[in-house]
Amino acid sequence: MSDSLQRTPLYDLNLELGAKMVPFAGFEMPIQFPAGLMAEHLHTREKAGLFDVSHMGQIRIAAKSGDVKDAAAALETLVPADYVGLAAGRQRYGLLTNDEGGIMDDLMVANMGHDLLVVVNAGCKVQDADRIEKVLSDRCVVTRQFDRGLMALQGPAAEAALAPLCPAVKDMRFMDVIETGLAGVSVTVSRSGYTGEDGFEIGCAGADSEKVARAILAQPDVLPIGLGARDSLRLEAGLCLYGNDIDVTTTPVEASLGWAIQKARREGGSREGGYPGAEVVLKQTRDGVSRKRVGLLAEGRAPVRAGAKLFADAEGQKEIGVVTSGAFGPSVKAPVAMGYVASDYAALDTPVFAELRGKYVPLHVRAMPFVAPGFKR
């Protein structure tokens, strides 16, 4: 491994647990543990898996006025989501846009009552923090907490595993967030994750991360899970990976993420627009787009990988799009993918063809997620 790669607070524990480490977003991260990708994926779907996601960036935004709604209003100048209307103890997905309506990052924002807790992607966290500071610093204090640990406990047995350590989680619903204690450690806990399963994301001081992780791993039905299974789980759940499925060349409308723009921020809403690229996004919402992100289910067993070109015909004469994520889905027991196609080919069940080693493999446009979500509403 290169000396320039960063390490998470759980690096030593990951090695102790037998992780195979790989470079990811500037960090040495566990791609898999001895159980292997397939077993880790299925274990998470059936029981519970613990993921080290400490490479992601945690940022606190506090209004200088002391009113969290002022922090929310300030953040809305960068993100087309309704955060002013977000209740204390609740969390909401959002998109950081640029002046062209392109997606600079996707993020989670929690109203902690006194300030906002923002979680951003590892590869974007410095530029995200720089942007937020530049625009919000006159009204808000922006604090980078990049040294904090973050882990995700995911799967149908997640609550049963976490409740003995942190009883408050039993009363939480999907997208609730609390500040509480776990194994004698002060933690933030949100009922969320990126696998499509019920679960929790637990943030704590970096120095406390190993203690928290060991306490969770000691519970029945919990295994450590690597980034490999995290990728196949989120793909089956129809969830975007920043840099693959969304980036500055894709808009929220093209990415089929219009649901992340709440009514208040849409055309005719009480706080319509007001974010970078709003004119582009509002126009696309109104008039439509030339391409859309769709789910794709392949026939046969061979996965269609990211970068594969998509065609309207089995001869590869008319190119209509590209695959952005693709893998074998262990839970679906079939290859699953997502990508962008010309809007005329985005209707459900439309047949398309992917170029695979000189042949044209048939796929069909399918609804996402590919697996039923297990969220506790």
Side-chain angles (χ1 to χ4, degrees), residues 76 81-85 262-274 282:
E76 284 190 5
D82 176 8
Y83 292 127
V84 171
Q262 287 74 34
K263 187 178 178 181
R265 308 302 307 282
R266 294 184 185 181
E267 195 163 26
S270 57
R271 294 188 311 287
E272 171 188 325
L282 290 167

Side-chain angles (χ1 to χ4, degrees), residues 163-237:
L165 303 169
C166 185
V169 302
K170 290 186 285 190
D171 297 323
M172 296 176 73
R173 291 284 183 270
F174 182 56
M175 290 296 205
D176 280 353
V177 59
I178 59 173
E179 291 180 294
T180 184
L182 193 162
V185 171
S186 178
V187 294
T188 58
V189 180
S190 63
R191 193 155 199 159
S192 59
Y194 222 61
T195 62
E197 296 297 328
D198 184 25
F200 303 88
E201 291 177 300
I202 302 120
C204 63
D208 293 327
S209 299
E210 190 173 312
K211 182 180 180 182
V212 172
R214 287 186 186 278
I216 296 170
L217 288 166
Q219 302 303 307
D221 294 334
V222 182
L223 280 183
I225 311 293
L227 286 179
R230 186 167 188 254
D231 193 51
S232 56
L233 288 158
R234 70 90 195 166
L235 178 54
E236 286 187 342

Side-chain angles (χ1 to χ4, degrees), residues 31 54 76 104 133 168 185 218 231 235 250 268 270 286 289 294 302 373:
I31 187 76
S54 306
E76 284 190 5
M104 298 183 69
E133 279 176 359
V185 171
D231 193 51
L235 178 54
T250 55
S270 57
R286 189 170 57 243
V289 287
V294 297

Side-chain angles (χ1 to χ4, degrees), residues 1-9 11 21-29 54-55 122-123 125-126 146-147:
M1 290 287 177
S2 165
D3 291 340
S4 64
L5 289 173
Q6 299 177 71
R7 292 173 175 177
T8 76
Y11 174 83
M21 306 296 280
V22 298
F24 181 80
F27 281 78
E28 287 186 67
M29 295 296 294
S54 306
H55 60 310
K125 63 186 180 184
V126 173
F146 295 169
D147 57 344

Side-chain angles (χ1 to χ4, degrees), residues 296-319:
L296 299 162
L297 203 56
E299 297 174 14
R301 303 282 289 179
V304 177
R305 303 289 184 185
K309 293 178 179 179
L310 295 169
F311 297 85
D313 58 285
E315 293 75 41
Q317 297 296 307
K318 184 177 182 181
E319 188 175 335

